[in-house]
Amino acid sequence: MHVIASAGWLGLTLGLLALGITAATTGSAGTVEASVRAMKLFADWLLLPVAFLTLLSGLLLSLGTKWGLARYRWVYTKFWLTLATTTATVFALRPGVNSAVTAVAAGGPLPDAGDVLFGPVVSLSAYVFMTVISVLKPWGKTRRGRRMAKAFA
């Protein structure tokens, strides 16, 4: 479930980035409006449920496997990055998209391309980084993980 949710989150972010690039680079007011409205649909209906599913499934997976939540640095890093990107989605990405939709729907231009580009770029960077560390599993155990290993040895 965690891998499916994570892949879905990555795919949604790629879609948001494509729509954001389209909105920021096109000269057509209709295309800008369609792009930001599609971004709003993704952000309102898909992004948060998938983000929360990723966070919850990752938390349950870490607590229910040998990896633990705070035993390995890569797991700990992924947890905090997932929490940070979920929070950023709620408090930065969605409000930025909503303000872009409001401005464009009122007949104005896209107020700031950063509203539709910054969130997807940062999110995509974080998700790719988390995917890489999931595969490589770098950095070894945390201090807590080393203490637990000694206690069970």
Side-chain angles (χ1 to χ4, degrees):
M1 180 55 61
H2 181 68
V3 172
I4 292 168
S6 298
W9 203 8
L10 182 64
L12 283 168
T13 302
L14 282 170
L16 284 170
L17 182 58
L19 290 166
I21 290 170
T22 301
T25 60
T26 188
S28 165
T31 303
V32 171
E33 185 171 358
S35 295
V36 296
R37 285 185 183 274
M39 289 181 79
K40 182 170 173 39
L41 285 173
F42 277 22
D44 286 351
W45 293 100
L46 297 173
L47 205 55
L48 283 180
V50 171
F52 286 125
L53 182 59
T54 301
L55 183 63
L56 180 63
S57 63
L59 185 61
L60 292 174
L61 192 61
S62 71
L63 295 175
T65 65
K66 69 176 184 168
W67 298 110
L69 179 60
R71 289 185 204 151
Y72 291 86
R73 288 185 179 110
W74 70 271
V75 176
Y76 200 63
T77 301
K78 277 187 61 178
F79 171 74
W80 286 109
L81 275 174
T82 302
L83 189 61
T85 53
T86 301
T87 303
T89 296
V90 172
F91 294 109
L93 189 142
R94 288 184 70 222
V97 169
N98 287 336
S99 69
V101 169
T102 302
V104 170
L110 187 64
D112 182 9
D115 286 344
V116 295
L117 290 175
F118 185 71
V121 166
V122 170
S123 296
L124 183 60
S125 301
Y127 306 151
V128 168
F129 175 72
M130 287 188 275
T131 301
V132 168
I133 66 173
S134 293
V135 172
L136 298 179
K137 297 173 181 42
W139 309 314
K141 293 183 178 182
T142 62
R143 199 175 310 152
R144 180 176 186 262
R146 288 189 302 270
R147 276 195 317 263
M148 290 177 70
K150 283 182 185 177
F152 290 113

